[in-house]
């Protein structure tokens, strides 16, 4: 079905979800073999960790991290692929609990996708505003002068963080860091 729902990818969404889920589930099973189960008691969740990671990473990749938009897209067009999809707050909570596993997977994938002989890296940074500069004194998330900076491209002041990343020439993120602005 090529139409409104396939405008972002060159292949069908079902194929994209299936391929991503297969890779992620295989990596998740190897993580469990190395580190043991994440849950010590009780039955497993109805919506698996692999499904949470798959949907979360697809939202990051195709919907610019807009979780509500991505979840509503999955509910509206692909509910048959994820019939037990959690509500927004439960999904967000589970995704945040799995960030360590997701980072382990990202590091493993970057080693698989970047050839060892590829030594060239591109470095870039992006501002992540936490609040407007005028409201920085009232900000409860972060405080201190190290979080104040300038966004030269927007000719605006920044109060928050700066994201730094190095990527290969094939645009695979090698390393990343979040630092005060």
């Amino acid at each position: 079905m090529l139409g409104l729902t396939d405008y972002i990818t060159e292949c069908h969404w079902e194929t994209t979800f299936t391929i991503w889920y297969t890779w992620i589930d295989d990596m998740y099973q190897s993580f469990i073999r190395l580190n043991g189960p994440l849950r010590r008691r009780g039955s497993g969740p109805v919506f698996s960790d692999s499904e949470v990671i798959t949907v979360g990473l697809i939202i990051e990749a195709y919907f610019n991290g807009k979780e509500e938009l991505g979840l509503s897209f999955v509910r509206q067009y692909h509910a048959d692929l994820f019939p037990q999809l959690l509500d927004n707050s439960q999904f967000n909570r589970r995704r945040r609990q799995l960030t360590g596993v997701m980072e382990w997977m990202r590091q493993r994938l970057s080693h698989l996708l970047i050839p060892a002989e590829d030594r060239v890296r591109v470095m870039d940074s992006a501002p992540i505003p936490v609040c407007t500069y005028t409201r920085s004194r009232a900000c409860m998330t972060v405080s201190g002068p190290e979080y104040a900076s300038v966004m030269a491209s927007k000719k605006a002041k920044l109060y928050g963080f700066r994201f730094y990343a190095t990527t290969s020439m094939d645009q695979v993120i090698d390393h990343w860091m979040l630092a005060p602005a």
Side-chain angles (χ1 to χ4, degrees), residues 18-34 50-51 53-54 101 104-105 108-109 112:
T18 304
I19 291 169
W20 282 50
Y21 177 79
T22 305
W23 274 59
I24 288 168
D25 190 52
D26 289 346
M27 290 182 71
Y28 181 76
Q29 296 308 322
S30 67
F31 178 84
I32 295 301
R33 279 192 299 277
L34 289 171
S50 298
E51 290 174 308
I53 295 169
T54 300
V101 178
W104 179 84
M105 287 181 178
R108 188 119 181 249
L109 274 174
L112 290 173

Side-chain angles (χ1 to χ4, degrees), residues 80-118:
D80 57 325
L81 295 174
F82 301 100
Q84 303 294 327
L85 185 62
L86 304 170
D87 65 47
N88 291 9
S89 65
Q90 287 178 320
F91 179 83
N92 184 282
R93 200 172 313 118
R94 288 271 306 280
R95 184 187 52 79
R96 283 185 285 130
Q97 289 171 347
L98 292 167
T99 53
V101 178
M102 292 167 71
E103 178 59 19
W104 179 84
M105 287 181 178
R106 188 203 64 77
Q107 289 174 358
R108 188 119 181 249
L109 274 174
S110 70
H111 291 305
L112 290 173
L113 296 174
I114 300 173
E117 62 275 0
D118 183 7

Side-chain angles (χ1 to χ4, degrees), residues 54-90:
T54 300
V55 173
L57 290 177
I58 287 201
I59 288 171
E60 287 179 19
Y62 293 103
F63 297 94
N64 295 325
K66 296 178 181 166
E67 198 170 89
E68 190 173 334
L69 177 67
L71 289 173
S72 65
F73 173 80
V74 172
R75 279 190 195 97
Q76 185 174 0
Y77 296 107
H78 302 289
D80 57 325
L81 295 174
F82 301 100
Q84 303 294 327
L85 185 62
L86 304 170
D87 65 47
N88 291 9
S89 65
Q90 287 178 320

Side-chain angles (χ1 to χ4, degrees), residues 121-126 162-168 172-178:
R121 296 291 181 268
V122 177
M123 183 174 175
D124 200 3
S125 68
R162 191 164 287 279
F163 173 77
Y164 295 94
T166 59
T167 64
S168 69
V172 177
I173 292 181
D174 188 18
H175 294 96
W176 66 274
M177 179 178 73
L178 192 62

